[in-house]
Amino acid sequence: MKFQRRLRGFTLIELMVTVAVVSILAAIAIPSYGNYVRRGKVMEATSALADVRMKMEQYFQDNRTYQNYVNASCIPASGSPIIDAKYFTYSCGSDTTTYTITANGVQAKDMGGYQYKINQDNAKKSTVPGGVEVNCWLTKPGEAC
C-alpha cells in the first residue's frame, strides 16, 4: 500500500505570526539604524571643525591675527573652500584674537537640529535635537558629556 503525501502550504496563522515578528524587528531596527547613520554624518562636522581650527592656528602663528583668514562662509583669502560640506553648513567669524567656527546640520539631509562649535581656546559646544547646548561634542540625542 502506497501512502500519498499531501503537500500543504502555510496556514494563515503561521503567516500572521511571521508578519508580526518581522514587524516588531523592523520597528526596533529601523530607528536604530537611522541613529547610527546620523552619528556617522556628525563626523563630517567634527572633523571639519578640527581641521579648520588647525589651519586658523597655523595662520595665527604666521600673522599674529585670525582676522582676514576666512570670510563668514569659511572660505580663506586664497579663495578655495577649506570645508567640503555635505551634511552641514559652516560659518566662521573672527577678529584679531578670537574666532568661532560653527557647523549647522542640513535639514534636507536629516541633520536638522545638530549644531557644533569650536573657538580659539578649543572650547567645543554642541546642540543635538531635543537638547540644550553643552560644552562638548555630542554625537546623538540623549548622550551626556
Side-chain angles (χ1 to χ4, degrees):
M1 182 187 280
K2 240 184 188 180
F3 289 101
Q4 235 179 3
R5 223 165 130 166
R6 191 171 182 196
L7 297 176
R8 294 182 0 166
F10 295 106
T11 65
L12 184 59
I13 300 274
E14 290 171 331
L15 188 60
M16 293 301 289
V17 167
T18 303
V19 168
V21 168
V22 169
S23 299
I24 291 168
L25 290 175
I28 295 168
I30 291 172
S32 295
Y33 180 72
N35 288 335
Y36 175 75
V37 169
R38 279 187 287 283
R39 283 196 321 258
K41 292 176 181 179
V42 163
M43 297 311 295
E44 174 197 306
T46 57
S47 297
L49 293 179
D51 186 47
V52 174
R53 180 182 184 280
M54 181 188 68
K55 291 175 181 174
M56 294 285 280
E57 294 302 330
Q58 288 173 339
Y59 183 83
F60 185 81
Q61 291 297 318
D62 293 340
N63 300 291
R64 304 317 261 168
T65 184
Y66 296 114
Q67 200 165 16
N68 299 325
Y69 175 63
V70 293
N71 66 14
S73 298
C74 296
I75 297 175
S78 62
S80 62
I82 52 179
I83 300 173
D84 183 26
K86 187 172 182 182
Y87 302 111
F88 288 84
T89 58
Y90 299 90
S91 60
C92 296
S94 64
D95 59 27
T96 56
T97 58
T98 64
Y99 66 84
T100 301
I101 310 162
T102 305
N104 290 302
V106 175
Q107 182 71 37
K109 300 282 185 166
D110 196 28
M111 293 305 291
Y114 286 85
Q115 183 181 66
Y116 296 89
K117 296 178 184 179
I118 194 167
N119 67 15
Q120 74 284 346
D121 295 325
N122 199 29
K124 300 171 183 173
K125 295 181 183 274
S126 65
T127 306
V128 295
V132 296
E133 186 174 73
V134 294
N135 293 322
C136 65
W137 282 344
L138 302 178
T139 58
K140 61 183 178 181
E143 193 175 37
C145 290

